[in-house]
Amino acid sequence: MKKASFLIEDLWPCFQGMVPAALSTCASDGTPNITFISQVYYVDATHVAISFQFFNKTHRNVRENPLACAVVLDPRTLHAYRFHLRYDHSEATGPLFESMSLQLQAVASYSGMTEVFRLQAADVYEVLGVERLEGFTRLPIPPPSERSSRLFIDPNVVSLRLIAERLNQAQMLDEALQGALQMLDDFFGFHHAMILLADERNAKLQTIASHGYSDNGVGSEVGIGEGLIGMVARAQRTLYLSAMDHSLRYARAVRGRAEALGQTEAIEREIPLPGLPDAASQIAVPLVTRGRLVGVLAVESKDPLAFLPRENTLLSIIGLHLATTIDLLSRDQDEIPTDRVGQAPPSPESRTMSTRRFSFFQKDDCIFVDGNYLIRNVPAKILWRLLTQYRDEGRVEFTNRELRMDAWLGLPEYKDNLETRLILLRRRLEQKCPDVRLVQRGRGRFALEADATIELCEKEC
Amino acid sequence: MIPDWIVTLLHTGVSVMVGTRDESLMPECTRAWGIHVAADRGTITILLAETFAGKTLDNLRANGMLAVTCTRPTDHLTCQLKGRVRNIKPVMSAERELSRRWHRDFSAELGACGVSSTLSEGWIVEPTVAIDITVTEVFDQTPGPGAGSKVSP
């Protein structure tokens, strides 16, 4: 028999579970086994999956000897196809498992056997080869149909769906922001990205989360209208620079030179925007919901052609979900009452700990730690409030509500962005003072954890 | 000994699939054009077409080991028989008649499940080789929690 090679996508009717298939395996002692299976599932161009529910001998055999062979029928003509397979792995969670499980449950629910038909795992097989059984039927091979394109979902669309689902389920703003950046890396290979939030009062954007940079750059600012990111914020339109000319690198080089020459006075209270020194392309997507700018998502790459219309579209869709999520989670983080506020910290004297010296400059509401700039403005005042209460009253647990009621912090009554300020503070501490941490303790509650002895000093200027 | 209910099942237009393996333990799977249980109820005969079962026949000639599974489409009653080849012979008129009868019964089963007769009648049911098999193990493989339980010996 002549072995033909097929694109398994073209055999899409065979994967609809309309006609049972057969699967043969072989134990390590050489005993063959064969079983009917209700459906062979398409996974991708080189893999199929088979549901593991009942046929335990098959399940055991492929773990001893991964080779397998399946014969499937095309329900349109009953042409038969033989798949040579190698068991690859088993999935008991994740999108493939979920979709196979739901399909089984839907069938089982008709017969009241949802427990009996429970999917144990999706066994994924690599397709080593496919052949049509020649001399099997007199019927002609049906012409290729357009329908397959509706059955096999573009992997980008699957990724978009997963991102939308996870953003939709996020409970905390911080989790949503870091999760979104991680997913951009995992699903689309965007290794270097950041999210900036709009500060409408000051006509600025402030970096709140980043991924793929040695310095997280959280707290760095960009004026609305400045540079690519600022322009995107103003125009509320996605822009991308491919094969970026040297101007951006030039600006970054100037900064590097100034730092090298010790001319740091002008820049010492500025956090640099995260950036790749050798970025070749950049895209910035406005995060807008109901016409209001929430922030900007910016992604960089060393590949000059990394951002083309496809990436523009994908990131714009993600940006829409992200904007809605940010908008929702940053105004809805009210605390749950707690009875654990005000616990005493572990006695610092009982352990040998380093000392961290925090200095608060009243003139510009700015905090330095051990002589290095940490943070300023409202997040700095929040930190100062927490540190003084930690020192004077031994408090370690705090609530968003008490901060909102603290007049000294000067939070506005409406849209106070407290949650984003706390994230900013948390990230800056992670970067500059990792032995003092703000740890989330649920919605609207957090704790101050310190592995160092804390010294505080207030300065007028 | 193959139990009564499985003998009956095997003679009522079942779908017959055959599993073998080669010397490297690579499994092969093919469809048979009919099955018959001998009077001793320890031997079965399956009918294969060399056109698409060449590798299966190579495996059977090389090591004689096989597994056969049969299911009745209308109620999914299913069994698996394991055994060894006793004899491989060309198909004679008796086996051709067996095959025609099987094809008619299986088409009727498929028809009852909504499969157009045009499709099942399109199959080229012209077996060339009859395989006599000594059955060593019989399993009930009807889908469900008990699938795979041994019923004989």
Side-chain angles (χ1 to χ4, degrees), chain A residues 4-19:
Chain A
S5 195
F6 296 91
L7 285 175
I8 65 174
E9 285 91 336
D10 292 341
L11 304 179
W12 62 267
C14 304
F15 302 123
Q16 306 312 309
M18 293 170 72
V19 187

Side-chain angles (χ1 to χ4, degrees), chain A residues 1 22 24-28 30-36 54 65 67-69 71 73 75-78 82 84 116 128 133-139, chain B residues 15 17-19 21 25-31 33 51-52 65-71 78 80 82 118-119 121-124 126 141 144-145 147:
Chain A
M1 182 178 18
S24 71
T25 58
C26 181
S28 55
T31 308
N33 192 80
I34 186 158
T35 182
F36 283 98
F54 309 124
N65 167 25
L67 299 170
C69 181
V71 168
L73 289 171
R76 297 172 299 177
T77 54
L78 299 187
R82 186 179 284 129
H84 294 284
V116 177
L128 304 175
L133 274 63
E134 303 297 348
F136 192 80
T137 177
R138 293 180 184 87
L139 297 179
Chain B
S15 175
M17 299 301 297
V18 182
R21 54 89 175 170
L25 304 190
M26 168 55 99
E28 177 73 359
C29 185
T30 200
R31 185 172 284 276
W33 289 142
T51 44
F52 58 81
M65 299 176 80
L66 85 170
V68 178
T69 187
C70 300
T71 191
T78 309
Q80 182 182 203
K82 292 196 183 185
T118 314
L119 302 186
E121 283 165 13
W123 278 348
I124 306 167
E126 293 171 3
Q141 228 156 258

Side-chain angles (χ1 to χ4, degrees), chain B residues 42-144:
Chain B
T43 308
I44 57 168
T45 301
I46 58 167
L47 306 171
L48 299 178
E50 283 169 296
T51 44
F52 58 81
K55 176 72 178 167
T56 295
L57 285 164
D58 291 346
N59 290 344
L60 290 176
R61 288 186 182 109
N63 60 59
M65 299 176 80
L66 85 170
V68 178
T69 187
C70 300
T71 191
R72 188 159 59 196
T74 47
D75 58 8
H76 291 290
L77 213 57
T78 309
C79 68
Q80 182 182 203
L81 310 163
K82 292 196 183 185
R84 283 190 167 272
V85 170
R86 180 188 289 177
N87 190 24
I88 300 177
K89 60 195 181 188
V91 160
M92 306 299 278
S93 61
E95 284 91 15
R96 281 195 200 96
E97 175 52 29
L98 165 71
S99 187
R100 272 193 291 274
R101 204 165 53 237
W102 168 85
H103 189 196
R104 183 196 64 210
D105 292 348
F106 187 45
S107 293
E109 277 284 323
L110 293 177
C113 296
V115 177
S116 155
S117 61
T118 314
L119 302 186
S120 54
E121 283 165 13
W123 278 348
I124 306 167
V125 182
E126 293 171 3
T128 53
V129 184
I131 319 283
D132 294 332
I133 299 150
T134 304
V135 175
T136 53
E137 292 175 294
V138 182
F139 301 87
D140 179 359
Q141 228 156 258
T142 305

Side-chain angles (χ1 to χ4, degrees), chain A residues 271-379:
Chain A
I271 303 164
L273 195 64
L276 293 175
D278 51 354
S281 56
Q282 192 180 27
I283 185 167
V285 178
L287 305 177
V288 178
T289 180
R290 288 174 219 92
R292 188 172 71 82
L293 182 78
V294 175
V296 172
L297 167 66
V299 187
E300 281 188 312
S301 175
K302 294 174 186 177
D303 173 2
L305 296 174
F307 306 113
L308 295 174
R310 170 182 165 275
E311 287 71 29
N312 180 344
T313 303
L314 290 172
L315 286 166
S316 296
I317 295 169
I318 294 165
L320 292 168
H321 288 283
L322 196 52
T324 310
T325 305
I326 292 171
D327 187 46
L328 190 73
L329 293 180
S330 51
R331 63 183 155 88
D332 185 29
Q333 293 282 318
D334 244 355
E335 49 273 19
I336 24 180
T338 173
D339 53 8
R340 295 191 58 221
V341 175
Q343 286 200 340
S347 167
E349 291 78 18
S350 64
R351 283 186 278 162
T352 312
M353 292 199 290
S354 58
T355 300
R356 289 292 206 167
R357 289 178 189 82
F358 291 84
S359 307
F360 181 68
F361 294 85
Q362 291 170 348
K363 185 181 152 199
D364 57 357
D365 295 334
C366 178
I367 292 179
F368 276 55
V369 58
D370 296 331
N372 296 313
Y373 171 69
L374 178 67
I375 201 160
R376 68 177 159 202
N377 295 336
V378 175

